[in-house]
Amino acid sequence: MNNFIFENATKVYFGQGCVQEYLTCLVQDASTVLLAYGGGSIRRNGIYDQVAGLLRQAGKTVVDFAGIPSNPTYDQVLAGAKLARETGADWILGVGGGSVMDCAKAIALAARYPGDVWEDFWARPGVIDFDSLPLGVIVTVAGTGSECNGGAVITHPGKKIKTGRDYPQLNPRFALMDPTYTYSVPQAQMISGGFDTLSHLMEIYFSRPDEDNVSDDLNEALMVSVIRNLRAAVANPQDYTARSNLMWAATMAENRVVKLGKQGDFQCHNMEHQLGAYTDCNHGQGLAVLHPVYYRHIYQDGLPKFLRFAQKVWGLPRDGRSDEALALAGIEALAGFIRDLGLPTTLRQLGVEREQLKEIADSCGISPGSYRRMTHQEILELFQECYESPL
Ligand code: NZQ
Ligand code: ZN
């Protein structure tokens, strides 16, 4: 294993009823809470009324910051920070998915920073040597794992860059996770979130070091769990066990535990983020299109691990196949899973224009941790390959 330091400052309260039971005491020292949320799902499913009601009953002033879209932009960060300052908010509560949680983290930072947070913390890594606004989150859709890390992925539309940084100082102080809150998530979004979780696990697993290590063993168990529980949740969206497992697996994939001692790849995330910057496409869906084609491209550079993936994660027998054939069969099992879930399988389906492919490819970050270091030309070839031919 590589050397590491581990800390996770977020306290998790998990399970049905946790918001009712714990929210009020968790924001005891707040007087004005900036309630950050998305496009309105929490208004329709009753979560807003419950959360705002609890805060108001406890004597808090609630300031709404509504309308955070998927793929939150820097403009929203600035607007939220301005509102927090103007209203004297002393806490932020993000209620939603990755987009809301990420935006809330960036607002927490920007509200206390006089300079340009994009330039100083996202365009390049910065040093947080001041206290950001205290932040708590209530998760309403599982997938990104943003609830238990300091990661915030923000889009700068003017610069056409979507990028994330993980600052441990931005870990939410608490995360309330009630799996029943996710019942109202549209099925396509539930599947997208589940695939995002699987993608995080694969991005970590397919990287060095490959010798025996706890992170890879945990990772395999999590991948198997995500695949099983996503199938169960598709069959019955109100399966509490499946929704609980998906919610916790999403956290486990991104709370740094399975990253310990691993280099991590995240080349597919780099590519998907730029597809998002140009087209505003759905994160999990973009990843689904890219993963099989990327893995077919690099598997020979990490053959033993792809072989292990086929056997341990997909349970494929040897059946007289060569290492290479079995490794490829594992990638085909992944592609079949994507098709079974009804996820998109081409960039065209995501709304990408063919003429954009080169510019997007050239804008992608190159991961130093992948089995094979990509070039922008290879990324363009991958994009062309999955532009309109299904996986
Ligand atoms: O906006 P509303 O109306 O709330 O609707 C949302 C949105 O349309 C809806 N939704 C959420 N909870 C719901 C619900 N609908 C009904 N009932 C509920 N209970 O779901 C839609 C998607 O929400 P969003 O937050 O955009 O999805 P997700 O959680 O997938 O987050 C995606 C963002 O997170 C970033 C992505 O790049 C993307 O910007 N990521 C953040 C990461 C991190 N911080 O660690 C890691 C990830 O790799 C990812 O990059
Ligand atoms: Zn992701």
Side-chain angles (χ1 to χ4, degrees):
M1 271 206 191
N2 294 337
N3 295 1
F4 63 79
I5 295 173
F6 176 66
E7 184 188 354
N8 194 309
T10 303
K11 187 159 180 176
V12 173
Y13 298 78
F14 189 97
Q16 186 163 13
C18 64
V19 173
Q20 181 76 36
E21 197 168 347
Y22 300 113
L23 175 62
T24 312
C25 63
L26 290 171
V27 292
Q28 245 167 6
D29 58 339
S31 80
T32 301
V33 178
L34 188 81
L35 187 57
Y37 57 98
S41 68
I42 67 164
R43 287 254 178 205
R44 293 188 291 278
N45 59 22
I47 295 174
Y48 176 87
D49 288 342
Q50 186 190 16
V51 170
L54 284 166
L55 293 173
R56 290 194 178 110
Q57 266 168 31
K60 316 294 175 194
T61 302
V62 177
V63 176
D64 279 18
F65 183 64
I68 297 171
S70 289
N71 303 326
T73 65
Y74 184 45
D75 296 345
Q76 269 111 28
V77 173
L78 294 179
K82 185 166 175 275
L83 187 62
R85 280 195 293 263
E86 284 171 357
T87 56
D90 48 6
W91 260 84
I92 301 188
L93 185 61
V95 185
S99 299
V100 168
M101 294 188 276
D102 288 8
C103 194
K105 290 174 192 173
I107 292 170
L109 186 72
R112 292 272 174 88
Y113 187 69
D116 182 335
V117 278
W118 174 268
E119 285 305 323
D120 296 344
F121 296 97
W122 272 267
R124 56 175 176 270
V127 176
I128 303 179
D129 54 4
F130 57 94
D131 289 334
S132 53
L133 271 185
L135 167 73
V137 296
I138 299 178
V139 185
T140 67
V141 54
T144 64
S146 178
E147 59 276 3
C148 258
N149 61 43
V153 182
I154 304 295
T155 300
H156 195 305
K159 297 182 190 293
K160 286 201 161 56
I161 297 173
K162 179 177 176 183
T163 194
R165 300 269 177 213
D166 185 352
Y167 294 105
Q169 297 93 328
L170 294 185
N171 262 66
R173 302 233 179 141
F174 65 81
L176 288 157
M177 302 174 64
D178 181 338
T180 66
Y181 277 22
T182 68
Y183 285 170
S184 56
V185 174
Q187 187 161 91
Q189 184 60 46
M190 177 191 79
I191 290 170
S192 157
F195 192 81
D196 187 24
T197 301
L198 185 61
S199 165
H200 296 156
L201 293 164
M202 293 189 295
E203 296 262 38
I204 301 160
Y205 184 72
F206 291 117
S207 74
R208 296 185 180 90
D210 286 320
E211 67 264 17
D212 195 3
N213 69 86
V214 173
S215 295
D216 282 344
D217 288 343
L218 286 173
N219 197 324
E220 283 163 355
L222 286 165
M223 286 192 274
V224 169
S225 170
V226 170
I227 293 161
R228 186 179 63 241
N229 285 291
L230 194 48
R231 285 188 174 126
V234 167
N236 175 12
Q238 306 235 338
D239 179 336
Y240 182 78
T241 301
R243 300 305 282 255
S244 307
N245 283 327
L246 288 174
M247 200 174 205
W248 186 238
T251 309
M252 283 295 294
E254 273 295 327
N255 65 0
R256 307 192 185 104
V257 167
V258 293
K259 290 183 172 172
L260 299 177
K262 295 285 296 179
Q263 225 171 337
D265 179 349
F266 286 87
Q267 185 60 54
C268 277
H269 268 69
N270 285 348
M271 296 189 284
E272 193 290 326
H273 284 163
Q274 281 314 99
L275 290 170
Y278 278 78
T279 69
D280 202 27
C281 64
N282 177 283
H283 178 60
Q285 294 181 351
L287 291 167
V289 174
L290 295 171
H291 266 287
V293 66
Y294 174 63
Y295 286 153
R296 282 187 205 113
H297 192 78
I298 65 157
Y299 78 96
Q300 277 156 325
D301 299 273
L303 190 58
K305 204 56 164 297
F306 279 94
L307 187 61
R308 195 173 143 177
F309 179 66
Q311 293 174 307
K312 295 263 181 72
V313 177
W314 297 103
L316 300 181
R318 172 65 77 169
D319 277 350
R321 286 178 279 201
S322 67
D323 285 359
E324 201 160 302
L326 192 48
L328 268 176
I331 299 169
E332 293 323 306
L334 172 66
F337 181 59
I338 291 168
R339 283 193 298 270
D340 290 350
L341 291 171
L343 281 158
T345 54
T346 68
L347 292 183
R348 186 203 275 278
Q349 285 170 281
L350 299 178
V352 185
E353 303 286 341
R354 196 183 271 287
E355 301 69 49
Q356 295 176 293
L357 294 183
K358 178 158 172 38
E359 190 178 337
I360 301 176
D362 286 343
S363 74
C364 292
I366 303 294
S367 165
S370 51
Y371 282 133
R372 167 145 156 218
R373 202 183 166 92
M374 301 289 279
T375 64
H376 288 113
Q377 178 58 30
E378 282 173 295
I379 293 175
L380 177 60
E381 285 162 18
L382 288 187
F383 283 175
Q384 284 164 338
E385 210 177 305
C386 58
Y387 183 70
E388 56 190 347
S389 328
L391 299 171

